[in-house]
Amino acid sequence: GAVVSQHPSWVICKSGTSVKIECRSLDFQATTMFWYRQFPKQSLMLMATSNEGSKATYEQGVEKDKFLINHASLTLSTLTVTSAHPEDSSFYICSASRNGPSTDTQYFGPGTRLTVL
Amino acid sequence: DQQVKQNSPSLSVQEGRISILNCDYTNSMFDYFLWYKKYPAEGPTFLISISSIKDKNEDGRFTVFLNKSAKHLSLHIVPSQPGDSAVYFCAASANGDDKIIFGKGTRLHILP
């Protein structure tokens, strides 16, 4: 089956530093990837849609300059949390569409737990 | 090993009838369960959740039932409407952990 990986699985950083999270589709090409943020015991919040070769589409209320998304290839999207602060501590999950944005088949990564001290 | 399983990849239901989507889990530590709905070209959106201290949670046309002894939950939609056609993901999280595990989804078709 289709596999989506995330790296790192967890990261601890100091306030003010930047953290990069990778999302990879291991055995399929993904023209579209989604980035979510999850707070404890709460539902996922869609942050942005990452499109290969073009700019990401951010949801309302998500700071584009703080959460930089790059989808440089058909198998890799990265989320960079810039100048991280403790309130950015959360669980970040990516997902990928297998055959393009028109498909509704969605594969989720295992998530990355970010803790900002 | 899949901890959250949705064994039916697709389901077709007549408009106005009840849609029942099923989900099984293997991890007895799971204590919080969620259902997400996803339209094509969009990310999943949260639909309804249930804590393990309950066996039923209702929100309008949507009801989730939890059977802990069977490690089974189901989402009931009644009456089914055309706009309910989507993919539904079951998800679960374990005690004290904010990470959630998703199933692979069930595609629901509402027939006119």
Side-chain angles (χ1 to χ4, degrees), chain A residues 11-108:
Chain A
V11 58
I12 301 173
C13 69
K14 292 183 178 180
S15 185
T17 61
S18 295
V19 175
K20 179 186 284 188
I21 303 170
E22 293 184 348
C23 177
R24 292 181 186 273
S25 56
L26 297 185
D27 52 358
F28 67 100
Q29 294 184 329
T31 56
T32 303
M33 291 183 173
F34 300 94
W35 285 98
Y36 300 85
R37 180 174 177 175
Q38 189 200 359
F39 299 92
K41 297 297 187 183
Q42 295 182 23
S43 59
L44 291 177
M45 179 192 79
L46 178 63
M47 298 174 65
T49 302
S50 172
N51 304 297
E52 188 269 335
S54 63
K55 291 184 179 180
T57 305
Y58 289 82
E59 296 299 303
Q60 193 172 13
V62 178
E63 298 176 61
K64 300 178 183 181
D65 296 331
K66 181 167 185 63
F67 298 99
L68 300 178
I69 291 173
N70 184 284
H71 196 148
S73 77
L74 285 170
T75 59
L76 173 64
S77 174
T78 59
L79 168 68
T80 301
V81 183
T82 62
S83 187
H85 288 95
E87 57 265 30
D88 298 324
S89 297
S90 192
F91 202 71
Y92 293 87
I93 300 173
C94 75
S95 66
S97 291
R98 189 185 188 117
N99 294 319
S102 62
T103 182
D104 50 14
T105 302
Q106 194 78 202
Y107 301 94
F108 291 92

Side-chain angles (χ1 to χ4, degrees), chain A residues 1-2 34 36 38-44 46 90-91 93 95 97 101-108 110-111 113, chain B residues 31-32 34 36 38-46 86-87 89 93-104 107:
Chain A
F34 300 94
Y36 300 85
Q38 189 200 359
F39 299 92
K41 297 297 187 183
Q42 295 182 23
S43 59
L44 291 177
L46 178 63
S90 192
F91 202 71
I93 300 173
S95 66
S97 291
S102 62
T103 182
D104 50 14
T105 302
Q106 194 78 202
Y107 301 94
F108 291 92
R113 190 193 308 269
Chain B
D31 66 343
Y32 193 67
L34 311 95
Y36 290 81
K38 185 187 179 304
Y39 292 115
E42 297 181 12
T45 55
F46 171 74
V87 176
F89 291 93
S93 67
N95 183 30
D97 190 352
D98 55 1
K99 178 176 179 176
I100 55 174
I101 309 295
F102 285 87
K104 293 193 173 181
R107 184 189 308 210

